[in-house]
Amino acid sequence: MATSFDMWLRQLAVAKKGPVSFLGATRGREFSVTVSLPGDWTGATMRAEARLYPDAAGDPIATFAVVGPILDGDLSTWTLSLAAGSGADSTGAFPSDADLDGVERFAVDVLLTPSGGSEEILFGGVLPLLGSVTQ
């Protein structure tokens, strides 16, 4: 899975912050993923964005909606999601498949701000977006 940002992915690995390969999202359909951390992260915030590549200028392609953390025992869980359809922050808002192979790959980073702390990258990686055959 070659991308235009392989060096960024290698550096994430060196920093032990990825790379993560998200399960493939499908264009026009809702996508969600859960992120769990051990411990009580009450008061912490998480955010995530998708771009064509790291440091791409302008607004992100999509900003994930984030719910959480939800504490269950000694585990804090967030849900990150993109909407269905073609509106803002949906899987349909991503650029078309330029090379017609049915899959486009986008850079995603997930940032965590502990309660009273500073925001840092938790992890980053690749979100594959699968084309849709059945409309």
Side-chain angles (χ1 to χ4, degrees), residues 52-73:
L52 283 174
Y53 52 87
D55 288 338
D59 293 333
I61 295 169
T63 300
F64 287 76
V66 179
V67 175
I70 296 171
L71 185 62
D72 184 12

Side-chain angles (χ1 to χ4, degrees), residues 44-123:
T45 59
M46 188 175 286
R47 66 186 186 106
E49 294 180 348
R51 293 184 180 266
L52 283 174
Y53 52 87
D55 288 338
D59 293 333
I61 295 169
T63 300
F64 287 76
V66 179
V67 175
I70 296 171
L71 185 62
D72 184 12
D74 193 35
L75 196 64
S76 295
T77 302
W78 291 260
T79 301
L80 286 64
S81 62
L82 296 171
S86 59
D89 301 327
S90 74
T91 58
F94 284 70
S96 316
D97 181 8
D99 59 6
L100 305 178
D101 69 352
V103 181
E104 289 298 306
R105 293 165 181 85
F106 300 93
V108 173
D109 62 6
V110 177
L111 306 176
L112 178 70
T113 305
S115 180
S118 298
E119 181 177 71
E120 289 200 30
I121 185 169
L122 181 60
F123 61 87

